[in-house]
Amino acid sequence: MTSSPAHSELPTEDDEPALLDASEAAEEIVEDDDDEQDHPMDSDPEEETEEVMQLQNDSVAHFDRHKDSIYSIAQHPTNVSMIATGGGDDTTFVWSSDLPSRPLPASYETSPSAERESLQPMAKLSGHTDSINAITFTLPNGDYLLTGGLDGQLRAHVTQSDFKLLASSQEVPEINFIRPCPNPQHPNTIALGASDGSVWVYTIDASDHSTPLQVRQAYYLHTQTCTAGAWTPDGQMLATVSGCGDEDGQEDGSFYLWDPFGAAAAAGITGRAGSSSQAVVGLTMDDQRFAVEGGLYSVAIAPSGAFAVVGGAGGMIRVVGLPRLGAGSTTGAPESVSGGAKNQSGGGGKKKKSSGVVVPDTASSGQAGQILASLQTQSDSIETLSFSSPPLTLLAAGSVDGSIALFDHGHRFAVRRHIKDAHEGYAVIQVEFLSAESGKLHHVLTSCGNDGVVRRWDTRGGGTTVAAAAAGAGGGGQPGLLGEWRGHRGQGEKGGVLGFVQAGMAGRRIVTAGDDGVSLVFDAG
């Protein structure tokens, strides 16, 4: 039998000297500093530290049934544990954020599981052919679940019938957002904004077997994609903004206030262009005082309904007066809306000091359409805006530059705080104050960003809590930081938190929508 070639070529002791030659022994190989830096040891302490940070998970439960990024999240208005998420896998899941019951502590289990199990879905909804980036339950009772996708479909499911599909509609190329109407006189009504700039108002009624998905209004004044929208607190009127086109780069940057139910017309308030105008208030880039180069990406309306705030590229913010339909103001929660174009980078521009005028809660219709203030504290697109509930008079703005700015609209929009490194230099995706229903915690602001972290801030100021300071990196040590919760992959794309909802008593439970395809449940109590 022929021996293996490998074996036949092995050197023998006679062929290979046992000791080094003297000339070889004297040869010295010297590595310069650059080589040492280019080839670190596997046990480099910096790499070990980074790995430990990536493994940190502060969540008490998770949901991981999505196979792609989770782009949208909503919670039921009366059963706040019921969560709906829509993702890049074209699928909607409905699930409960309640923790599974455990009869005994984990240490008592005979065979404890090595890995925590995911929360289980209550329903899995299909039918979309592209990513689902808009989702909501209708008000006031969450009778229907509405989903909107990049396929242009609007699909309505009946909550009390195991989320059976009631009806669907496809009137637009892509749906950017869906907002439920808070007006109790118009229950189960929603508004959506589309990529072609159109705005639609629907009412869902299962008792109408011929047209359960009824078009109440459709508006076409925006010439580019409609990026964000917000209802007035009383639900009588709707405000929307637009950005710039993705393909042609053309800008619109317009703001419109719509009167879908005719309440303004009944009060004798019509658009500046006359009674034939679709909008009660309209501002475009033709007005240089209002123009924001790069477009608008967020909008919020004050709790009094007296004015709207729009955020756009370059950190620009404009404050616009709104008409008042009655002497009394609503005490409902203020609308706070994140931009429809996450991670949209804004145009440049020289920073300016904040400026503004006093905007009293008793603003009259005479201020409608007037530009009440122009602000610029941050350097990149304003993606998200949120008002605190009275008696506080704070406005929070989250920017792509990673900062959060707090303005006091009761004192000429003075900048109360600018948290420049709120999310480790990554874009801030959503900011939201706890609602008035949270008791005495309406000064607490929750934020999330592309760093994959959720943080809570005491907007009254003060020092950092011991727990927050122990958190370490990022926002750790920032004045007013109450706490931070990690668990998502982080580091920007495919690792950030694309949204959250706050549930439970005093907003104790925070549920996230992760770009990494996982939804985490944090106990912030």
Side-chain angles (χ1 to χ4, degrees), residues 155-524:
R155 299 174 68 84
H157 300 264
V158 183
T159 304
Q160 297 299 325
S161 298
D162 297 325
F163 298 95
K164 177 182 178 182
L165 179 66
L166 174 66
S168 65
S169 176
Q170 190 171 9
E171 303 288 349
V172 298
E174 298 176 356
I175 295 176
N176 291 333
F177 65 84
I178 304 175
R179 300 284 177 256
C181 177
N183 190 333
Q185 297 180 354
H186 300 279
N188 301 320
T189 298
I190 60 97
L192 67 84
S195 60
D196 62 0
S198 61
V199 177
W200 299 71
V201 179
Y202 287 87
T203 293
I204 302 91
D205 184 4
S207 64
D208 189 337
H209 300 290
S210 59
T211 55
L213 200 56
Q214 305 167 7
V215 178
R216 298 290 297 268
Q217 297 289 346
Y219 305 110
Y220 302 95
L221 292 184
H222 291 300
T223 60
Q224 295 296 331
T225 180
C226 183
T227 51
W231 290 94
T232 54
D234 58 9
Q236 295 279 25
M237 292 181 287
L238 171 71
T240 58
V241 296
S242 65
C244 58
D246 294 333
E247 297 179 359
D248 53 19
Q250 294 184 0
E251 299 175 4
D252 181 19
S254 58
F255 165 86
Y256 291 108
L257 182 72
W258 315 102
D259 181 25
F261 311 119
I269 301 173
T270 58
R272 295 295 182 187
S275 59
S276 61
S277 175
Q278 284 187 302
V280 177
V281 173
L283 290 169
T284 69
M285 293 184 67
D286 292 336
D287 186 339
Q288 292 302 311
R289 300 170 303 164
F290 180 77
V292 174
E293 185 177 350
L296 302 173
Y297 298 99
S298 55
V299 59
I301 297 178
S304 65
F307 59 92
V309 176
V310 299
M316 294 290 189
I317 293 176
R318 301 288 187 263
V319 182
V320 181
L322 301 182
R324 299 297 303 278
L325 300 185
S329 63
T330 179
T331 57
E335 281 272 355
S336 57
V337 180
S338 299
K342 294 183 177 69
N343 308 331
Q344 172 74 36
S345 295
K350 186 177 180 181
K351 291 185 179 180
K352 303 177 183 177
K353 292 183 179 179
S354 300
S355 62
V357 297
V358 177
V359 183
D361 286 345
T362 57
S364 66
S365 60
Q367 289 183 299
Q370 294 185 16
I371 301 172
L372 304 179
S374 178
L375 317 171
Q376 187 185 25
T377 298
Q378 294 148 292
S379 61
D380 214 332
S381 292
I382 305 299
E383 289 291 302
T384 173
L385 296 162
S386 179
F387 280 100
S388 63
S389 298
L392 292 182
T393 56
L394 294 178
L395 165 70
S399 172
V400 171
D401 68 8
S403 72
I404 298 173
L406 296 174
F407 303 92
D408 188 344
H409 62 83
H411 294 81
R412 303 178 64 88
F413 285 93
V415 180
R416 293 305 185 194
R417 193 182 313 165
H418 185 197
I419 310 171
K420 294 184 178 180
D421 196 25
H423 281 274
E424 304 181 33
Y426 289 96
V428 179
I429 302 299
Q430 182 180 349
V431 293
E432 183 180 271
F433 280 97
L434 288 179
S435 65
E437 287 73 18
S438 63
K440 298 181 179 180
L441 298 178
H442 52 279
H443 61 276
V444 174
L445 177 74
T446 309
S447 67
C448 71
N450 263 347
D451 59 345
V453 184
V454 175
R455 293 188 171 93
R456 269 193 172 164
W457 311 87
D458 184 345
T459 57
R460 300 171 304 181
T464 305
T465 64
V466 175
Q478 290 270 21
L481 180 65
L482 296 175
E484 63 177 30
W485 296 269
R486 299 173 180 265
H488 288 284
R489 186 180 303 166
Q491 306 300 315
E493 186 177 358
K494 289 296 181 182
V497 181
L498 302 184
F500 62 83
V501 293
Q502 306 183 88
M505 293 298 294
R508 176 172 178 173
R509 186 176 300 168
I510 305 172
V511 186
T512 65
D515 201 6
D516 51 10
V518 179
S519 186
L520 298 181
V521 181
F522 296 114
D523 185 354

Side-chain angles (χ1 to χ4, degrees), residues 36 39-44 47:
E36 291 179 0
H39 305 282
M41 297 294 288
D42 292 339
S43 59
D44 190 291
E47 290 188 357

Side-chain angles (χ1 to χ4, degrees), residues 71-95:
Y71 292 125
S72 53
I73 185 168
Q75 69 177 355
H76 195 276
T78 58
N79 180 8
V80 295
S81 296
M82 183 183 292
I83 305 296
T85 50
D89 53 3
D90 313 340
T91 305
T92 300
F93 284 100
V94 183
W95 49 282

